[in-house]
Amino acid sequence: MSMRRKSSERGLTLIEVVITVGLLMLLAGALFALISSVLESRAIMTERVLKQNRLIAWDHFLRDTLSKLERETVILTEDAVSSGIANPGYRIRFINATLKLGPYAEYTNESSFILETVKGQKGAVILQLIPYPEENETGAQGAIYPPLILFDNISQIRFEFYNAFSDEWSEEWLMNNQKPHAIKNQITLQSGETHEMIVWIPHA
């Protein structure tokens, strides 16, 4: 009777302990892999949402800005090299234009700003906005406020300007006496997202 009791009350053998620990490690590894996969998917989705929101914000900014241009607004394209800028790139200057950066920041009265592309890291292109550019006594460009980076992960960006009188699109606009009738913008991020829009500019 005492022998049966000892047999039924004995502990786990070494093999059973090893098997149990192995199973627990397998379950822990599977759970860790599952959690890592969920977190990675969540991070990817968050990044995609942020990129999409930035493209939507850019769309709204450009449409709101161009649709409110005054009759006396002047739009000029220029090469940053000729303006003495350290980082050469493509620039669009808006003179006598309303600049609206937020719900409480709208500036008129001969305000001006510049959209400029500069070289970033790892082949990326940076699109930045320079509010209220100035020229010093030597003619070099300066700014009251630091540039506002709109995008820092662009692989390609393109602007085209439409002249309704000649029915032609051009990548340059050098006419001081009239605005383009429309501006087309195509932007491609390094992740592959592409956004294209055409904004018609009022002339009344």
Side-chain angles (χ1 to χ4, degrees):
M1 191 74 173
S2 60
M3 293 294 293
R4 287 184 180 178
R5 185 177 299 171
K6 288 182 179 180
S7 176
S8 61
E9 292 178 357
R10 69 183 177 82
L12 297 174
T13 65
L14 180 59
I15 296 178
E16 291 172 335
V17 172
V18 171
I19 293 175
T20 302
V21 172
L23 290 175
L24 290 176
M25 291 179 65
L26 288 175
L27 290 175
L31 182 60
F32 178 79
L34 178 62
I35 294 175
S36 299
S37 177
V38 170
L39 293 177
E40 184 178 357
S41 298
R42 183 177 179 180
I44 292 175
M45 290 299 297
T46 301
E47 185 178 358
R48 287 180 179 176
V49 170
L50 290 175
K51 290 176 181 178
Q52 190 64 30
N53 288 343
R54 182 169 287 191
L55 287 173
I56 293 174
W58 164 246
D59 186 291
H60 289 171
F61 165 75
L62 201 59
R63 290 185 186 279
D64 290 344
T65 301
L66 297 182
S67 63
K68 295 179 180 179
L69 293 181
E70 304 293 337
R71 179 181 298 179
E72 62 272 15
T73 297
V74 177
I75 299 176
L76 293 174
T77 59
E78 58 186 29
D79 188 352
V81 177
S82 62
S83 302
I85 302 301
N87 294 316
Y90 183 75
R91 314 177 87 210
I92 306 175
R93 180 187 295 269
F94 295 83
I95 305 172
N96 299 334
T98 300
L99 172 61
K100 187 173 182 180
L101 297 178
Y104 308 107
E106 182 170 334
Y107 307 95
T108 55
N109 301 327
E110 299 184 354
S111 64
S112 62
F113 63 94
I114 292 175
L115 290 175
E116 178 184 45
T117 60
V118 297
K119 294 181 180 179
Q121 298 180 350
K122 299 180 180 179
V125 176
I126 297 175
L127 175 64
Q128 60 186 18
L129 183 145
I130 304 176
Y132 314 115
E134 289 186 333
E135 291 186 0
N136 58 25
E137 296 178 354
T138 62
Q141 284 291 332
I144 301 177
Y145 301 101
L148 174 63
I149 296 179
L150 304 177
F151 288 96
D152 58 2
N153 59 341
I154 298 175
S155 63
Q156 185 177 10
I157 185 169
R158 182 177 183 180
F159 288 93
E160 291 184 75
F161 305 87
Y162 179 65
N163 187 340
F165 299 115
S166 61
D167 192 23
E168 292 179 344
W169 289 92
S170 174
E171 293 185 355
E172 292 185 328
W173 190 264
L174 304 176
M175 289 187 255
N176 292 331
N177 57 346
Q178 75 176 64
K179 300 189 298 289
H181 294 86
I183 294 180
K184 181 193 299 183
N185 171 245
Q186 184 181 53
I187 184 170
T188 302
L189 304 182
Q190 286 187 313
S191 55
E193 288 91 344
T194 299
H195 183 72
E196 183 175 340
M197 60 176 160
I198 297 177
V199 183
W200 294 91
I201 298 176
H203 281 67

